[in-house]
Amino acid sequence: MSRRVYDNTRRAEQARLTRRRILDAARELLVGLGPAAVTMRAVATHADVSVETVRKTFGTKAALIKDVYDVTLAGDDEPIPMIDRPEIQAVFTAADPRDKLARYAFAARRVGERVGPLLAKLLAGARGGDPDLTRFRETTNRERMIGAEGVVRHLAATGGLRPGLDPERARDIVWTLISPEVFDLFVGERGWSPDEYEQWLARALADALVTP
């Protein structure tokens, strides 16, 4: 008698669909109500699952919020690092340094569009003193710094960084210019279109980093 091989593909896909439903429900509640008003029970009810399922899948509310942010940032729940995604790979494959930065501005614009409403609520919670959201802000700031450093290092390696510009200073400039707060100020507060923001960011990055 041959040994039966257990195939858990269907179960794994069902778990992934449940996880995505919880993430979607949590994002809707976080944007609509703000993080302080959102509980694990509210998320479970909105996602039509048990509280136990939410806790088993994510553990804590802080972990759930970070996962909601990460999936919103990427645009999907595929386990692909941001650096390996097409928007960022386009930066590395462009030949001209200004073209690289224009493509990077496009990537930053897309990120701002995806995470803007969510991140505005989460950062407001951090400013309000929520310790979990304060740690969240520190983590996302650190992740953005890593991304900015990678772009500057690539520009320097390909001869695109302005001679004499300290790479650490360049990293700080990029980190600031691509911050979600800047996107929110221009698009959310001042009413710029995403196209106008992208065009401004491309020029600002090039003027700051590349030889005129």
Side-chain angles (χ1 to χ4, degrees), residues 85-137:
R85 291 177 175 268
E87 292 170 358
I88 301 301
Q89 283 300 303
V91 177
F92 298 137
T93 57
D96 180 78
R98 288 180 178 270
D99 188 25
K100 292 178 184 295
L101 293 173
R103 297 186 184 200
Y104 193 55
F106 171 74
R109 172 252 182 99
R110 292 291 301 275
V111 166
E113 289 177 313
R114 288 195 293 261
V115 304
L118 171 66
L119 197 55
K121 297 285 186 160
L122 299 180
L123 293 180
R127 290 191 294 271
D130 184 297
D132 287 336
L133 293 179
T134 298
R135 285 189 290 271
F136 165 83
R137 181 182 59 190

Side-chain angles (χ1 to χ4, degrees), residues 38-201:
V38 176
T39 64
M40 299 289 263
R41 182 170 297 280
V43 172
T45 299
H46 201 53
D48 194 24
V49 299
S50 68
V51 178
E52 290 73 20
T53 297
V54 177
R55 295 189 187 281
K56 182 178 179 180
T57 304
F58 296 97
T60 64
K61 178 180 171 180
L64 172 59
I65 287 176
K66 184 59 167 65
D67 281 358
V68 169
Y69 170 81
D70 287 343
V71 169
T72 306
L73 177 74
D76 58 56
D77 59 352
E78 296 291 337
I80 303 173
M82 288 298 294
I83 195 171
D84 294 329
R85 291 177 175 268
E87 292 170 358
I88 301 301
Q89 283 300 303
V91 177
F92 298 137
T93 57
D96 180 78
R98 288 180 178 270
D99 188 25
K100 292 178 184 295
L101 293 173
R103 297 186 184 200
Y104 193 55
F106 171 74
R109 172 252 182 99
R110 292 291 301 275
V111 166
E113 289 177 313
R114 288 195 293 261
V115 304
L118 171 66
L119 197 55
K121 297 285 186 160
L122 299 180
L123 293 180
R127 290 191 294 271
D130 184 297
D132 287 336
L133 293 179
T134 298
R135 285 189 290 271
F136 165 83
R137 181 182 59 190
E138 292 169 351
T139 298
T140 56
N141 279 344
R142 186 165 56 250
E143 291 171 346
R144 191 170 79 255
M145 184 70 77
I146 292 171
E149 185 173 19
V151 168
V152 169
R153 191 164 54 243
H154 173 71
L155 283 175
T158 55
L161 191 64
R162 177 182 297 170
L165 178 59
D166 177 32
E168 290 191 2
R169 179 60 58 89
R171 176 203 61 192
D172 292 347
I173 291 171
V174 174
W175 181 81
T176 301
L177 290 177
I178 66 169
S179 69
E181 291 91 343
V182 171
F183 178 88
D184 184 59
L185 284 172
F186 281 136
V187 178
E189 297 290 334
R190 302 307 307 158
W192 287 29
S193 71
D195 282 343
E196 290 172 324
Y197 163 81
E198 179 186 338
Q199 292 162 11
W200 166 82
L201 180 58

